[in-house]
mmCIF file of all heavy atoms in Angstrom:
data_model
loop_
_atom_site.group_PDB
_atom_site.id
_atom_site.type_symbol
_atom_site.label_atom_id
_atom_site.label_comp_id
_atom_site.label_asym_id
_atom_site.label_seq_id
_atom_site.Cartn_x
_atom_site.Cartn_y
_atom_site.Cartn_z
ATOM 1 N N LEU M 1 23.627 -0.967 -0.917
ATOM 2 C CA LEU M 1 23.971 -1.999 0.021
ATOM 3 C C LEU M 1 23.752 -1.554 1.456
ATOM 4 O O LEU M 1 23.353 -2.328 2.319
ATOM 5 C CB LEU M 1 25.439 -2.416 -0.179
ATOM 6 C CG LEU M 1 25.959 -3.549 0.699
ATOM 7 C CD1 LEU M 1 25.147 -4.814 0.431
ATOM 8 C CD2 LEU M 1 27.433 -3.813 0.459
ATOM 9 N N GLY M 2 23.945 -0.259 1.754
ATOM 10 C CA GLY M 2 23.790 0.252 3.103
ATOM 11 C C GLY M 2 22.392 0.716 3.378
ATOM 12 O O GLY M 2 21.411 -0.040 3.219
ATOM 13 N N ARG M 3 22.253 1.980 3.756
ATOM 14 C CA ARG M 3 20.927 2.499 4.090
ATOM 15 C C ARG M 3 20.023 2.668 2.886
ATOM 16 O O ARG M 3 18.812 2.844 3.021
ATOM 17 C CB ARG M 3 21.074 3.851 4.816
ATOM 18 C CG ARG M 3 21.787 3.722 6.159
ATOM 19 C CD ARG M 3 21.908 5.073 6.818
ATOM 20 N NE ARG M 3 22.593 4.946 8.119
ATOM 21 C CZ ARG M 3 22.891 5.982 8.899
ATOM 22 N NH1 ARG M 3 22.546 7.217 8.499
ATOM 23 N NH2 ARG M 3 23.501 5.806 10.037
ATOM 24 N N GLY M 4 20.601 2.610 1.691
ATOM 25 C CA GLY M 4 19.813 2.740 0.493
ATOM 26 C C GLY M 4 18.710 1.708 0.366
ATOM 27 O O GLY M 4 17.655 1.985 -0.184
ATOM 28 N N LYS M 5 18.943 0.524 0.951
ATOM 29 C CA LYS M 5 17.903 -0.519 0.862
ATOM 30 C C LYS M 5 16.666 -0.142 1.651
ATOM 31 O O LYS M 5 15.521 -0.498 1.288
ATOM 32 C CB LYS M 5 18.460 -1.850 1.383
ATOM 33 C CG LYS M 5 18.983 -1.854 2.806
ATOM 34 C CD LYS M 5 19.508 -3.250 3.161
ATOM 35 C CE LYS M 5 20.117 -3.261 4.576
ATOM 36 N NZ LYS M 5 21.412 -2.542 4.615
ATOM 37 N N TYR M 6 16.838 0.681 2.674
ATOM 38 C CA TYR M 6 15.661 1.134 3.445
ATOM 39 C C TYR M 6 14.902 2.235 2.683
ATOM 40 O O TYR M 6 13.689 2.360 2.821
ATOM 41 C CB TYR M 6 16.101 1.649 4.818
ATOM 42 C CG TYR M 6 16.822 0.620 5.636
ATOM 43 C CD1 TYR M 6 18.150 0.800 6.033
ATOM 44 C CD2 TYR M 6 16.190 -0.584 5.981
ATOM 45 C CE1 TYR M 6 18.821 -0.180 6.759
ATOM 46 C CE2 TYR M 6 16.859 -1.565 6.725
ATOM 47 C CZ TYR M 6 18.171 -1.344 7.092
ATOM 48 O OH TYR M 6 18.819 -2.311 7.820
ATOM 49 N N VAL M 7 15.646 2.991 1.854
ATOM 50 C CA VAL M 7 15.001 3.959 0.997
ATOM 51 C C VAL M 7 14.110 3.248 -0.002
ATOM 52 O O VAL M 7 12.965 3.643 -0.259
ATOM 53 C CB VAL M 7 16.043 4.815 0.240
ATOM 54 C CG1 VAL M 7 15.364 5.728 -0.774
ATOM 55 C CG2 VAL M 7 16.865 5.651 1.222
ATOM 56 N N LEU M 8 14.608 2.150 -0.560
ATOM 57 C CA LEU M 8 13.807 1.347 -1.508
ATOM 58 C C LEU M 8 12.552 0.789 -0.817
ATOM 59 O O LEU M 8 11.472 0.773 -1.418
ATOM 60 C CB LEU M 8 14.639 0.200 -2.065
ATOM 61 C CG LEU M 8 15.758 0.577 -3.039
ATOM 62 C CD1 LEU M 8 16.499 -0.657 -3.518
ATOM 63 C CD2 LEU M 8 15.192 1.343 -4.236
ATOM 64 N N MET M 9 12.690 0.339 0.411
ATOM 65 C CA MET M 9 11.537 -0.136 1.167
ATOM 66 C C MET M 9 10.518 0.966 1.341
ATOM 67 O O MET M 9 9.307 0.754 1.194
ATOM 68 C CB MET M 9 11.968 -0.654 2.541
ATOM 69 C CG MET M 9 12.594 -2.030 2.568
ATOM 70 S SD MET M 9 13.012 -2.543 4.247
ATOM 71 C CE MET M 9 11.381 -2.615 5.009
ATOM 72 N N GLY M 10 11.011 2.159 1.669
ATOM 73 C CA GLY M 10 10.126 3.287 1.886
ATOM 74 C C GLY M 10 9.359 3.687 0.630
ATOM 75 O O GLY M 10 8.164 3.942 0.651
ATOM 76 N N ILE M 11 10.102 3.686 -0.513
ATOM 77 C CA ILE M 11 9.459 4.011 -1.790
ATOM 78 C C ILE M 11 8.375 2.962 -2.131
ATOM 79 O O ILE M 11 7.286 3.309 -2.568
ATOM 80 C CB ILE M 11 10.513 4.066 -2.909
ATOM 81 C CG1 ILE M 11 11.446 5.266 -2.708
ATOM 82 C CG2 ILE M 11 9.847 4.156 -4.296
ATOM 83 C CD1 ILE M 11 12.614 5.308 -3.652
ATOM 84 N N TYR M 12 8.704 1.708 -1.877
ATOM 85 C CA TYR M 12 7.747 0.633 -2.147
ATOM 86 C C TYR M 12 6.509 0.776 -1.253
ATOM 87 O O TYR M 12 5.381 0.620 -1.720
ATOM 88 C CB TYR M 12 8.406 -0.712 -1.891
ATOM 89 C CG TYR M 12 7.599 -1.930 -2.299
ATOM 90 C CD1 TYR M 12 7.552 -2.330 -3.638
ATOM 91 C CD2 TYR M 12 6.886 -2.667 -1.364
ATOM 92 C CE1 TYR M 12 6.818 -3.431 -4.018
ATOM 93 C CE2 TYR M 12 6.121 -3.751 -1.742
ATOM 94 C CZ TYR M 12 6.096 -4.142 -3.060
ATOM 95 O OH TYR M 12 5.364 -5.223 -3.428
ATOM 96 N N PHE M 13 6.732 1.116 0.015
ATOM 97 C CA PHE M 13 5.635 1.302 0.968
ATOM 98 C C PHE M 13 4.710 2.426 0.506
ATOM 99 O O PHE M 13 3.494 2.282 0.492
ATOM 100 C CB PHE M 13 6.228 1.629 2.348
ATOM 101 C CG PHE M 13 5.192 1.787 3.433
ATOM 102 C CD1 PHE M 13 4.891 0.739 4.294
ATOM 103 C CD2 PHE M 13 4.553 3.008 3.632
ATOM 104 C CE1 PHE M 13 3.954 0.878 5.322
ATOM 105 C CE2 PHE M 13 3.578 3.160 4.626
ATOM 106 C CZ PHE M 13 3.314 2.106 5.483
ATOM 107 N N ILE M 14 5.309 3.560 0.087
ATOM 108 C CA ILE M 14 4.535 4.704 -0.333
ATOM 109 C C ILE M 14 3.756 4.409 -1.622
ATOM 110 O O ILE M 14 2.576 4.775 -1.747
ATOM 111 C CB ILE M 14 5.424 5.933 -0.517
ATOM 112 C CG1 ILE M 14 5.993 6.375 0.860
ATOM 113 C CG2 ILE M 14 4.676 7.097 -1.175
ATOM 114 C CD1 ILE M 14 7.080 7.437 0.758
ATOM 115 N N LEU M 15 4.428 3.761 -2.560
ATOM 116 C CA LEU M 15 3.757 3.393 -3.834
ATOM 117 C C LEU M 15 2.534 2.509 -3.550
ATOM 118 O O LEU M 15 1.428 2.730 -4.087
ATOM 119 C CB LEU M 15 4.714 2.661 -4.747
ATOM 120 C CG LEU M 15 5.531 3.501 -5.739
ATOM 121 C CD1 LEU M 15 6.487 2.593 -6.521
ATOM 122 C CD2 LEU M 15 4.633 4.242 -6.700
ATOM 123 N N MET M 16 2.748 1.522 -2.694
ATOM 124 C CA MET M 16 1.651 0.605 -2.376
ATOM 125 C C MET M 16 0.525 1.339 -1.636
ATOM 126 O O MET M 16 -0.653 1.104 -1.911
ATOM 127 C CB MET M 16 2.178 -0.551 -1.505
ATOM 128 C CG MET M 16 1.277 -1.769 -1.471
ATOM 129 S SD MET M 16 1.177 -2.656 -3.029
ATOM 130 C CE MET M 16 2.689 -3.610 -2.993
ATOM 131 N N LEU M 17 0.881 2.250 -0.764
ATOM 132 C CA LEU M 17 -0.118 3.021 -0.029
ATOM 133 C C LEU M 17 -0.975 3.846 -0.979
ATOM 134 O O LEU M 17 -2.219 3.828 -0.902
ATOM 135 C CB LEU M 17 0.591 3.937 0.966
ATOM 136 C CG LEU M 17 -0.278 4.999 1.675
ATOM 137 C CD1 LEU M 17 -1.317 4.326 2.580
ATOM 138 C CD2 LEU M 17 0.591 5.961 2.487
ATOM 139 N N VAL M 18 -0.314 4.553 -1.909
ATOM 140 C CA VAL M 18 -1.037 5.449 -2.822
ATOM 141 C C VAL M 18 -1.946 4.656 -3.763
ATOM 142 O O VAL M 18 -3.127 4.987 -3.938
ATOM 143 C CB VAL M 18 -0.048 6.323 -3.629
ATOM 144 C CG1 VAL M 18 -0.754 7.098 -4.712
ATOM 145 C CG2 VAL M 18 0.691 7.291 -2.701
ATOM 146 N N ILE M 19 -1.421 3.613 -4.368
ATOM 147 C CA ILE M 19 -2.190 2.900 -5.402
ATOM 148 C C ILE M 19 -3.331 2.109 -4.761
ATOM 149 O O ILE M 19 -4.451 2.099 -5.287
ATOM 150 C CB ILE M 19 -1.267 1.938 -6.217
ATOM 151 C CG1 ILE M 19 -0.152 2.741 -6.874
ATOM 152 C CG2 ILE M 19 -2.084 1.215 -7.275
ATOM 153 C CD1 ILE M 19 -0.635 3.809 -7.830
ATOM 154 N N ILE M 20 -3.072 1.454 -3.614
ATOM 155 C CA ILE M 20 -4.181 0.728 -2.971
ATOM 156 C C ILE M 20 -5.246 1.706 -2.499
ATOM 157 O O ILE M 20 -6.447 1.423 -2.596
ATOM 158 C CB ILE M 20 -3.646 -0.112 -1.766
ATOM 159 C CG1 ILE M 20 -2.760 -1.240 -2.290
ATOM 160 C CG2 ILE M 20 -4.832 -0.710 -0.978
ATOM 161 C CD1 ILE M 20 -2.220 -2.140 -1.173
ATOM 162 N N HIS M 21 -4.831 2.865 -1.997
ATOM 163 C CA HIS M 21 -5.805 3.871 -1.596
ATOM 164 C C HIS M 21 -6.658 4.335 -2.761
ATOM 165 O O HIS M 21 -7.879 4.475 -2.651
ATOM 166 C CB HIS M 21 -5.083 5.054 -0.954
ATOM 167 C CG HIS M 21 -5.986 6.200 -0.597
ATOM 168 N ND1 HIS M 21 -6.903 6.139 0.457
ATOM 169 C CD2 HIS M 21 -6.158 7.428 -1.168
ATOM 170 C CE1 HIS M 21 -7.574 7.271 0.511
ATOM 171 N NE2 HIS M 21 -7.139 8.078 -0.446
ATOM 172 N N LEU M 22 -6.010 4.585 -3.912
ATOM 173 C CA LEU M 22 -6.767 5.025 -5.088
ATOM 174 C C LEU M 22 -7.730 3.956 -5.571
ATOM 175 O O LEU M 22 -8.784 4.272 -6.098
ATOM 176 C CB LEU M 22 -5.773 5.383 -6.222
ATOM 177 C CG LEU M 22 -4.990 6.669 -6.034
ATOM 178 C CD1 LEU M 22 -3.979 6.850 -7.173
ATOM 179 C CD2 LEU M 22 -5.907 7.899 -5.982
ATOM 180 N N CYS M 23 -7.368 2.698 -5.384
ATOM 181 C CA CYS M 23 -8.241 1.598 -5.775
ATOM 182 C C CYS M 23 -9.298 1.272 -4.724
ATOM 183 O O CYS M 23 -10.067 0.327 -4.907
ATOM 184 C CB CYS M 23 -7.406 0.343 -6.035
ATOM 185 S SG CYS M 23 -6.384 0.446 -7.535
ATOM 186 N N GLU M 24 -9.322 2.026 -3.627
ATOM 187 C CA GLU M 24 -10.246 1.813 -2.494
ATOM 188 C C GLU M 24 -10.048 0.406 -1.897
ATOM 189 O O GLU M 24 -11.007 -0.280 -1.548
ATOM 190 C CB GLU M 24 -11.698 2.017 -2.936
ATOM 191 C CG GLU M 24 -12.017 3.421 -3.363
ATOM 192 C CD GLU M 24 -13.509 3.700 -3.481
ATOM 193 O OE1 GLU M 24 -14.296 2.743 -3.567
ATOM 194 O OE2 GLU M 24 -13.885 4.898 -3.484
ATOM 195 N N GLY M 25 -8.786 0.030 -1.758
ATOM 196 C CA GLY M 25 -8.481 -1.296 -1.225
ATOM 197 C C GLY M 25 -8.312 -1.346 0.280
ATOM 198 O O GLY M 25 -8.029 -2.418 0.816
ATOM 199 N N PHE M 26 -8.480 -0.213 0.949
ATOM 200 C CA PHE M 26 -8.357 -0.202 2.418
ATOM 201 C C PHE M 26 -9.706 -0.111 3.128
ATOM 202 O O PHE M 26 -9.758 0.118 4.316
ATOM 203 C CB PHE M 26 -7.471 0.973 2.890
ATOM 204 C CG PHE M 26 -6.023 0.841 2.515
ATOM 205 C CD1 PHE M 26 -5.345 1.864 1.921
ATOM 206 C CD2 PHE M 26 -5.350 -0.354 2.785
ATOM 207 C CE1 PHE M 26 -4.014 1.756 1.609
ATOM 208 C CE2 PHE M 26 -4.007 -0.487 2.458
ATOM 209 C CZ PHE M 26 -3.337 0.561 1.859
ATOM 210 N N LYS M 27 -10.787 -0.262 2.389
ATOM 211 C CA LYS M 27 -12.103 -0.076 2.982
ATOM 212 C C LYS M 27 -12.599 -1.372 3.630
ATOM 213 O O LYS M 27 -13.645 -1.903 3.281
ATOM 214 C CB LYS M 27 -13.085 0.446 1.930
ATOM 215 C CG LYS M 27 -12.731 1.847 1.456
ATOM 216 C CD LYS M 27 -13.877 2.564 0.804
ATOM 217 C CE LYS M 27 -13.562 4.040 0.577
ATOM 218 N NZ LYS M 27 -14.684 4.777 -0.023
ATOM 219 N N TYR M 28 -11.828 -1.827 4.626
ATOM 220 C CA TYR M 28 -12.232 -3.013 5.398
ATOM 221 C C TYR M 28 -13.522 -2.708 6.131
ATOM 222 O O TYR M 28 -13.646 -1.689 6.805
ATOM 223 C CB TYR M 28 -11.158 -3.398 6.413
ATOM 224 C CG TYR M 28 -9.736 -3.355 5.886
ATOM 225 C CD1 TYR M 28 -8.798 -2.475 6.396
ATOM 226 C CD2 TYR M 28 -9.316 -4.238 4.903
ATOM 227 C CE1 TYR M 28 -7.507 -2.443 5.946
ATOM 228 C CE2 TYR M 28 -8.010 -4.207 4.422
ATOM 229 C CZ TYR M 28 -7.117 -3.332 4.955
ATOM 230 O OH TYR M 28 -5.818 -3.290 4.490
ATOM 231 N N GLY M 29 -14.486 -3.595 6.027
ATOM 232 C CA GLY M 29 -15.732 -3.400 6.747
ATOM 233 C C GLY M 29 -16.676 -2.414 6.091
ATOM 234 O O GLY M 29 -17.742 -2.163 6.609
ATOM 235 N N ILE M 30 -16.289 -1.837 4.956
ATOM 236 C CA ILE M 30 -17.154 -0.898 4.242
ATOM 237 C C ILE M 30 -17.612 -1.529 2.932
ATOM 238 O O ILE M 30 -18.793 -1.719 2.697
ATOM 239 C CB ILE M 30 -16.442 0.442 3.971
ATOM 240 C CG1 ILE M 30 -16.090 1.120 5.283
ATOM 241 C CG2 ILE M 30 -17.339 1.362 3.130
ATOM 242 C CD1 ILE M 30 -15.314 2.425 5.107
ATOM 243 N N LEU M 31 -16.638 -1.853 2.071
ATOM 244 C CA LEU M 31 -16.950 -2.569 0.845
ATOM 245 C C LEU M 31 -17.097 -4.049 1.141
ATOM 246 O O LEU M 31 -16.763 -4.528 2.226
ATOM 247 C CB LEU M 31 -15.857 -2.353 -0.205
ATOM 248 C CG LEU M 31 -15.612 -0.916 -0.676
ATOM 249 C CD1 LEU M 31 -14.484 -0.903 -1.693
ATOM 250 C CD2 LEU M 31 -16.874 -0.326 -1.269
ATOM 251 N N LYS M 32 -17.561 -4.808 0.162
ATOM 252 C CA LYS M 32 -17.625 -6.251 0.309
ATOM 253 C C LYS M 32 -16.213 -6.804 0.255
ATOM 254 O O LYS M 32 -15.325 -6.243 -0.386
ATOM 255 C CB LYS M 32 -18.487 -6.851 -0.805
ATOM 256 C CG LYS M 32 -19.967 -6.420 -0.705
ATOM 257 C CD LYS M 32 -20.776 -7.017 -1.839
ATOM 258 C CE LYS M 32 -22.234 -6.593 -1.739
ATOM 259 N NZ LYS M 32 -23.065 -7.114 -2.847
ATOM 260 N N ILE M 33 -16.024 -7.934 0.892
ATOM 261 C CA ILE M 33 -14.672 -8.503 1.001
ATOM 262 C C ILE M 33 -14.049 -8.786 -0.370
ATOM 263 O O ILE M 33 -12.857 -8.556 -0.578
ATOM 264 C CB ILE M 33 -14.700 -9.793 1.886
ATOM 265 C CG1 ILE M 33 -13.256 -10.268 2.164
ATOM 266 C CG2 ILE M 33 -15.548 -10.878 1.253
ATOM 267 C CD1 ILE M 33 -13.185 -11.353 3.209
ATOM 268 N N ALA M 34 -14.866 -9.259 -1.308
ATOM 269 C CA ALA M 34 -14.354 -9.557 -2.656
ATOM 270 C C ALA M 34 -13.897 -8.281 -3.360
ATOM 271 O O ALA M 34 -12.889 -8.273 -4.066
ATOM 272 C CB ALA M 34 -15.417 -10.246 -3.484
ATOM 273 N N ASP M 35 -14.626 -7.165 -3.149
ATOM 274 C CA ASP M 35 -14.233 -5.898 -3.779
ATOM 275 C C ASP M 35 -12.925 -5.389 -3.220
ATOM 276 O O ASP M 35 -12.057 -4.897 -3.966
ATOM 277 C CB ASP M 35 -15.337 -4.866 -3.584
ATOM 278 C CG ASP M 35 -16.583 -5.151 -4.400
ATOM 279 O OD1 ASP M 35 -16.451 -5.854 -5.420
ATOM 280 O OD2 ASP M 35 -17.678 -4.701 -4.018
ATOM 281 N N VAL M 36 -12.755 -5.468 -1.906
ATOM 282 C CA VAL M 36 -11.509 -5.023 -1.261
ATOM 283 C C VAL M 36 -10.335 -5.883 -1.737
ATOM 284 O O VAL M 36 -9.277 -5.357 -2.089
ATOM 285 C CB VAL M 36 -11.630 -5.078 0.264
ATOM 286 C CG1 VAL M 36 -10.273 -4.828 0.920
ATOM 287 C CG2 VAL M 36 -12.654 -4.072 0.763
ATOM 288 N N LEU M 37 -10.549 -7.182 -1.769
ATOM 289 C CA LEU M 37 -9.468 -8.093 -2.157
ATOM 290 C C LEU M 37 -9.050 -7.883 -3.600
ATOM 291 O O LEU M 37 -7.861 -7.774 -3.922
ATOM 292 C CB LEU M 37 -9.950 -9.547 -1.958
ATOM 293 C CG LEU M 37 -8.864 -10.647 -2.013
ATOM 294 C CD1 LEU M 37 -7.812 -10.378 -0.955
ATOM 295 C CD2 LEU M 37 -9.489 -12.002 -1.798
#
């Protein structure tokens, strides 16, 4: 209920960062738009 909710946000942020990076989903302007999406 307290600061723990920000820990959950941080974990979610990191998970999303790692998995999208592994899927090459941050290559704006490099891959085609459909591939990035």
Side-chain angles (χ1 to χ4, degrees):
L1 182 61
R3 295 180 180 177
K5 58 181 177 288
Y6 301 118
V7 174
L8 290 180
M9 281 182 65
I11 293 172
Y12 187 80
F13 183 97
I14 293 171
L15 269 177
M16 198 68 80
L17 170 65
V18 171
I19 302 301
I20 293 182
H21 175 71
L22 288 175
C23 290
E24 295 193 343
F26 291 132
K27 294 199 169 182
Y28 315 115
I30 298 177
L31 298 179
K32 295 179 180 178
I33 188 170
D35 289 337
V36 171
L37 193 58

